[in-house]
Amino acid sequence: MEIALKEQILGIVTPYPERVLGNVPIFITKDDQEAQHLCLLLSRILKAMAHDLENGVYIIVKH
Amino acid sequence: MDKYSQIVILGIGAGIIARLYMLRNDYRSYPSYPHGYVTHISLGVIAASLASLAIPALLEKEFTAVTFLVLAAQQFREIRNMERETLTKLEEYALVARGLDYIEGIAKVFEARNYLVMLVSLTTTGFAILFGLLIGALAGLITIFLSGFLMGGEFVRDIAIVKPGKLHFQNSLLMVDNIVIMNVGLKNAREKILREGIGVVIHPKDDNARATLNNLGQRQAILHDVSVLVGNKLETGEPDWTPLMRKDIDTGKLGLFVLPNEKDIECVIEAIYRTPVLESAVQKPLASKVGRKAAD
């Protein structure tokens, strides 16, 4: 059986470090393009979904 | 030869034919394994034998023989458990699960089929004793067709109308017409979904249908059948392609998104129409006074 954290933010990816804070892994990128790429990698590694909060912040959540 | 032996053999034969007739290997592809066939045919033979012996036993004043029917009923309840357990275990590795409601429905059908076999054998032997072998065989055949009729349930076709919907993005939200499906973060995934995805809208025909389609088990069954019939690009670890169904809370219509292997919207609509309506999902608010009053 697979055990995983579900419906929780596993990571945050953003080029705007001032907009995020908290006890979650935060990946700071130099621009949106790099953030997109990091989101793709993280979502595939964690078997999770990348969501766009539409303010330049992306979160990785497993459903 | 004993006076009942021909009748009993006829009854068993009719029962076995009934079981074979009901053992269709349809697109739900279950049971598609030789071992599944063997299990169900042998249980069918047992059911047929027990039921065929019941009436001759009664006529010979062997009343205890009838209690075996009770034993049989107990035995066939086990079939439901067996099917439920197998299918629930298989769910763990299914990309698009059947859902517990669908499994319960399948399990119930397998149990009921054995009771129908018993009904066929009982009618056959009963009529054979009263009116002769030929009439008995005929009665058996009629019961087989009647039981086929009894087992045919409703399909989504009967309760809803499916129309193509417009798949589009509102910023990061995937929408089918005005129904929000999910938030997709990756730009490449959004482009792929727009290029290859299909969105349809399911309009329930009345308030009964609306309540039935509201059931999450029914929705999962539709998604499962669509995925099986038209294929699905979903891959483990890539949840962006998950087929989903969401409701428009104001009107009760449902938006369905799927990323099929081939972009063929007619086939997706037909697949939805062919999904059975699950017994456990059926609700009939319109059958009550309150429900009718609330509906207008």
Side-chain angles (χ1 to χ4, degrees), chain A residues 33-53:
Chain A
Q33 202 185 348
E34 197 194 338
Q36 280 280 334
H37 187 61
L38 213 58
C39 277
L40 175 68
L41 294 178
L42 279 173
S43 66
R44 294 297 180 263
I45 293 165
L46 296 168
K47 294 188 173 182
M49 178 107 186
H51 292 293
D52 184 357
L53 299 187

Side-chain angles (χ1 to χ4, degrees), chain A residues 1-2 32 36 39-40 43-44 47-54 58, chain B residues 92 170-172 182-187 190 236-241:
Chain A
M1 218 172 88
E2 194 184 316
D32 196 63
Q36 280 280 334
C39 277
L40 175 68
S43 66
R44 294 297 180 263
K47 294 188 173 182
M49 178 107 186
H51 292 293
D52 184 357
L53 299 187
E54 298 182 6
Y58 298 89
Chain B
E92 216 173 291
Q170 201 174 72
N171 296 324
S172 62
M182 63 173 160
N183 178 306
V184 181
L186 297 171
K187 288 207 175 74
R190 283 183 215 162
T236 172
E238 300 183 21
D240 305 53
W241 326 124

Side-chain angles (χ1 to χ4, degrees), chain B residues 46-88:
Chain B
I46 294 171
S49 325
L50 278 170
S52 306
L53 289 171
I55 293 177
L58 269 181
L59 291 177
E60 289 295 310
K61 303 211 176 350
E62 296 279 354
F63 297 118
T64 43
V66 182
T67 53
F68 276 94
L69 287 180
V70 181
L71 201 72
Q74 186 74 28
Q75 201 61 41
F76 297 137
R77 255 210 350 240
E78 279 303 303
I79 295 178
R80 193 200 288 202
N81 289 334
M82 180 183 87
E83 291 304 329
R84 188 196 291 129
E85 262 175 43
T86 320
L87 288 173
T88 314

Side-chain angles (χ1 to χ4, degrees), chain B:
Chain B
M1 217 170 172
D2 181 64
K3 59 178 172 176
Y4 290 126
S5 46
Q6 279 176 321
I7 290 167
V8 169
I9 290 169
L10 181 73
I12 295 176
I16 294 172
I17 292 170
R19 189 69 192 90
L20 288 173
Y21 171 68
M22 286 185 279
L23 197 75
R24 275 164 298 180
N25 182 14
D26 59 6
Y27 68 91
R28 270 156 268 170
S29 83
Y30 186 81
S32 56
Y33 326 101
H35 293 97
Y37 281 120
V38 173
T39 316
H40 288 297
I41 291 171
S42 24
L43 283 165
V45 173
I46 294 171
S49 325
L50 278 170
S52 306
L53 289 171
I55 293 177
L58 269 181
L59 291 177
E60 289 295 310
K61 303 211 176 350
E62 296 279 354
F63 297 118
T64 43
V66 182
T67 53
F68 276 94
L69 287 180
V70 181
L71 201 72
Q74 186 74 28
Q75 201 61 41
F76 297 137
R77 255 210 350 240
E78 279 303 303
I79 295 178
R80 193 200 288 202
N81 289 334
M82 180 183 87
E83 291 304 329
R84 188 196 291 129
E85 262 175 43
T86 320
L87 288 173
T88 314
K89 274 183 191 145
L90 293 176
E91 286 277 89
E92 216 173 291
Y93 288 110
L95 281 176
V96 181
R98 281 193 174 85
L100 290 177
D101 293 62
Y102 205 172
I103 289 178
E104 201 54 44
I106 294 172
K108 254 187 238 164
V109 166
F110 274 108
E111 187 190 2
R113 281 175 182 171
N114 280 293
Y115 296 134
L116 286 173
V117 166
M118 291 176 78
L119 180 76
V120 168
S121 292
L122 266 179
T123 344
T124 311
T125 45
F127 275 83
I129 287 168
L130 285 176
F131 308 109
L133 286 175
L134 202 68
I135 302 285
L138 210 67
L141 272 180
I142 292 169
T143 327
I144 290 174
F145 285 114
L146 268 180
S147 61
F149 176 72
L150 277 174
M151 296 300 285
E154 268 193 319
F155 291 88
V156 173
R157 183 187 302 283
D158 305 317
I159 64 165
I161 297 166
V162 184
K163 288 179 185 158
K166 186 171 171 270
L167 203 63
H168 62 104
F169 275 97
Q170 201 174 72
N171 296 324
S172 62
L173 291 178
L174 174 62
M175 322 255 296
V176 175
D177 285 355
N178 60 343
I179 306 164
V180 177
I181 303 287
M182 63 173 160
N183 178 306
V184 181
L186 297 171
K187 288 207 175 74
N188 290 339
R190 283 183 215 162
E191 282 159 21
K192 190 174 172 70
I193 284 170
L194 281 185
R195 212 167 46 237
E196 297 165 24
I198 284 179
V200 294
V201 182
I202 302 171
H203 301 265
K205 282 183 183 167
D206 56 20
D207 274 32
N208 283 346
R210 185 172 168 174
T212 303
L213 288 170
N214 218 351
N215 183 297
L216 291 179
Q218 179 64 54
R219 292 192 213 170
Q220 191 60 41
I222 293 175
L223 290 172
H224 174 83
D225 273 9
V226 169
S227 304
V228 169
L229 290 185
V230 296
N232 190 338
K233 287 192 180 166
L234 180 63
E235 166 61 348
T236 172
E238 300 183 21
D240 305 53
W241 326 124
T242 313
L244 283 173
M245 238 166 129
R246 290 286 181 267
K247 182 175 71 167
D248 177 351
I249 53 169
D250 294 324
T251 59
K253 65 183 181 185
L254 294 151
L256 180 144
F257 155 73
V258 63
L259 195 73
N261 286 340
E262 273 169 57
K263 195 172 176 173
D264 199 337
I265 195 157
E266 293 299 313
C267 297
V268 172
I269 291 176
E270 187 54 32
I272 296 170
Y273 276 146
R274 289 178 62 162
T275 309
V277 173
L278 304 180
E279 268 180 63
S280 55
V282 172
Q283 298 199 341
K284 292 186 170 157
L286 290 183
S288 76
K289 209 173 167 186
V290 181
R292 275 195 301 276
K293 201 166 179 204
D296 57 35

